[in-house]
Amino acid sequence: PDTPSTPSTPSGEGVSEVKVDTPYYLFGTCGSGTTYFSGSVKSGRIDGSTTKSSGVVVKLEAGANAGEYYIYFMDGNTKTYIAGVENKSAGLNLVTTKDDTCVWVIDNAAKTVINKAISNRGLATQVASQYTNFSFYATSNFGTAEYQTSWFMAA
């Protein structure tokens, strides 16, 4: 599970350009079909559901430079940010945090999301390898954890 498989490209439902303060679903495609971020992180991967109504709405805040963002969702009345921390064997583990410390670079042309802080996951590597730092974890709907290209869908 820690070795990336060859993922599918996100379906045509994704947006062509992400914008701040706009509601989105974070989604991807894998062997089980389209999956939606459900608001939790397990074992370093975002927890997904094949049911769109189980997905949580995420938004972006602008970072200091063009193309840089913080990604968050509301947990009750609290902003909860999606962050990445380095994992020597898998490259990156996702976590949720109350702090806006994780800058993501969003490449609209390649439809990819990159953690700026993890040096071995730079833009060229991400686009060439065709998987992003967002991978979905196995839930009752899936047999295994699976890396996949993930993107934003209008909510």
Side-chain angles (χ1 to χ4, degrees):
D2 286 336
T3 302
S5 59
T6 303
S8 306
T9 302
S11 75
E13 297 180 73
V15 298
S16 59
E17 182 180 1
V18 294
K19 300 175 183 175
V20 296
D21 299 321
T22 301
Y24 298 106
Y25 289 112
L26 183 61
F27 80 104
T29 55
C30 65
S32 300
T34 301
T35 54
Y36 304 90
F37 173 47
S38 63
S40 67
V41 175
K42 294 180 180 173
S43 299
R45 298 172 178 90
I46 59 177
D47 193 16
S49 171
T50 55
T51 308
K52 187 175 182 179
S53 61
S54 296
V56 300
V57 171
V58 300
K59 290 186 177 183
L60 289 85
E61 289 180 352
N65 300 306
E68 295 180 355
Y69 302 90
Y70 302 101
I71 302 170
Y72 73 93
F73 61 96
M74 296 305 293
D75 185 4
N77 292 324
T78 306
K79 281 185 181 179
T80 300
Y81 293 87
I82 301 172
V85 294
E86 189 169 8
N87 173 324
K88 296 292 185 194
S89 64
L92 181 90
N93 276 348
L94 293 172
V95 296
T96 55
T97 177
K98 302 302 180 198
D99 303 313
D100 59 347
T101 56
C102 182
V103 176
W104 297 96
V105 176
I106 305 221
D107 182 335
N108 286 299
K111 291 193 174 182
T112 192
V113 181
I114 300 136
N115 183 309
K116 187 175 179 183
I118 306 300
S119 61
N120 67 341
R121 293 291 186 245
L123 179 60
T125 302
Q126 289 299 94
V127 173
S129 65
Q130 291 301 300
Y131 70 91
T132 70
N133 289 328
F134 287 92
S135 58
F136 284 85
Y137 188 73
T139 67
S140 58
N141 296 318
F142 314 116
T144 60
E146 185 173 351
Y147 284 87
Q148 60 190 281
T149 304
S150 303
W151 192 240
F152 300 90
M153 176 188 297

